[in-house]
Amino acid sequence: EMNWERLDINLADKDYGRLDVLTSAIRQRLKGLPHVGQAVPAKWKKIRQELDKRREEKLMSLETFFSLCTSHGITGLGDQLLILKYFHLLGVVLHFGDDPRLKETLFLDPNWTVNAIYTVLSDKEIEQYKGEVPFDFIRNLWDEKELSYIEQTRLLNLMLKDAFELCYGHPSKPDHYIIPLLLPKEEPGYTWDDSDSLCFRFQYPFMPRGITSRLMVRLNEIIRNNIVWQEGVVFAWEGAGARVVERST
């Protein structure tokens, strides 16, 4: 069961130290995570130091990581994968072993990775595409950042389903991607019959941004006729349909 703690802050000039209290509380919660503070073998530390030295390379193949572990005397596949999982949890590297497009790649610099993706999401000119973005536009943004072809390919895979869940391939426009967070807020015109429909409402004490957009990406194969907008989506599957709408109160 999740234990919630509410703290009031004021981001105005006179906060009277409440932001510092919040920051301290977050630090304490992070320290209490199961994998924080655990003793690890000395060999793991040496592997982490080696990864830190190679951070500027941005990417590392899984095969190279296994070789690195072997060079430090850790030869068992299970042990090597355990180390990798631990480093992913700590944010030392990013590795998505369940995604067949990404399982062979380690992202050595999480900050670089996030910043490269944010470059796309925050670009002002991307608004002209209303969420349906040609990959050539994304590639040009990354070219300006001097990212290699391989880096761009891995970053795109990272944005897709099973990883960051930020976009999916357009169902009818080749080499275009739909980014739900950048879709218009206006609900498009479509028909929907409310008769004989079940209605469910899920209420959140705090609604994290991105829940609906991640749902769109995760279930994009069953979206009905590309009926999507920033706060809603219509699904169709085996003769049944579902209309999901996010409301803020």
Side-chain angles (χ1 to χ4, degrees):
E1 183 180 353
M2 187 171 293
N3 182 22
W4 292 93
E5 179 182 356
R6 296 182 180 274
L7 295 171
D8 294 325
I9 66 169
N10 186 343
L11 299 180
D13 291 339
K14 295 182 180 180
D15 180 64
Y16 302 106
R18 286 177 292 187
L19 180 59
D20 293 336
V21 172
L22 174 63
T23 303
S24 177
I26 293 173
R27 288 197 184 104
Q28 292 302 317
R29 289 296 182 90
L30 291 174
K31 289 179 181 178
L33 292 175
H35 57 275
V36 175
Q38 289 183 346
V40 298
K43 294 178 181 179
W44 290 25
K45 182 178 180 180
K46 293 180 180 179
I47 295 172
R48 175 171 180 170
Q49 290 172 341
E50 186 68 27
L51 292 173
D52 288 339
K53 290 179 182 178
R54 302 179 64 166
R55 198 169 298 280
E56 291 187 1
E57 297 177 18
K58 304 299 188 294
L59 305 176
M60 175 182 285
S61 71
L62 187 60
E63 182 180 4
T64 300
F65 176 76
F66 287 159
S67 297
L68 177 61
C69 291
T70 300
S71 69
H72 287 281
I74 300 175
T75 57
L77 177 61
D79 292 333
Q80 293 173 346
L81 291 174
L82 177 62
I83 295 170
L84 183 54
K85 181 179 180 180
Y86 189 86
F87 285 166
H88 174 82
L89 288 172
L90 287 177
V92 176
V93 299
L94 293 178
H95 178 252
F96 298 89
D98 294 332
D99 189 329
R101 295 163 301 200
L102 292 170
K103 65 186 303 181
E104 299 297 328
T105 302
L106 279 68
F107 293 84
L108 299 178
D109 189 343
N111 287 332
W112 169 84
T113 304
V114 172
N115 288 338
I117 293 175
Y118 184 72
T119 294
V120 175
L121 299 180
S122 63
D123 187 83
K124 293 298 182 183
E125 293 185 12
I126 204 172
E127 296 176 1
Q128 65 183 298
Y129 296 107
K130 298 181 179 179
E132 300 185 358
V133 185
F135 185 58
D136 283 345
F137 179 85
I138 299 174
R139 186 178 295 284
N140 287 336
L141 291 177
W142 283 338
D143 282 342
E144 292 176 2
K145 295 288 184 179
E146 299 182 349
L147 303 186
S148 70
Y149 178 84
I150 296 298
E151 290 171 346
Q152 294 182 26
T153 301
R154 298 295 184 270
L155 286 168
L156 176 62
N157 287 337
L158 196 62
M159 293 174 67
L160 292 169
K161 182 179 175 181
D162 297 330
F164 282 8
E165 297 181 332
L166 291 172
C167 69
Y168 60 91
H170 197 290
S172 59
K173 295 181 180 179
D175 296 321
H176 282 63
Y177 292 87
I178 292 180
I179 304 178
L181 290 173
L182 302 178
L183 288 168
K185 291 186 177 181
E186 298 76 22
E187 189 169 352
Y190 61 94
T191 59
W192 180 260
D193 186 2
D194 281 326
S195 61
D196 298 324
S197 294
L198 297 175
C199 182
F200 299 91
R201 182 171 63 177
F202 300 88
Q203 290 182 297
Y204 292 80
F206 169 74
M207 184 72 170
R209 187 164 188 247
I211 286 183
T212 305
S213 64
R214 293 184 67 181
L215 179 68
M216 295 180 203
V217 175
R218 193 171 297 185
L219 300 180
N220 73 86
E221 294 91 348
I222 62 170
I223 293 176
R224 173 185 150 193
N225 299 329
N226 197 31
I227 302 174
V228 290
W229 64 103
Q230 196 172 115
E231 297 177 340
V233 56
V234 176
F235 297 111
W237 184 67
E238 294 189 355
R243 177 175 175 268
V244 180
V245 181
E246 177 181 329
R247 303 288 191 205
S248 300
T249 57

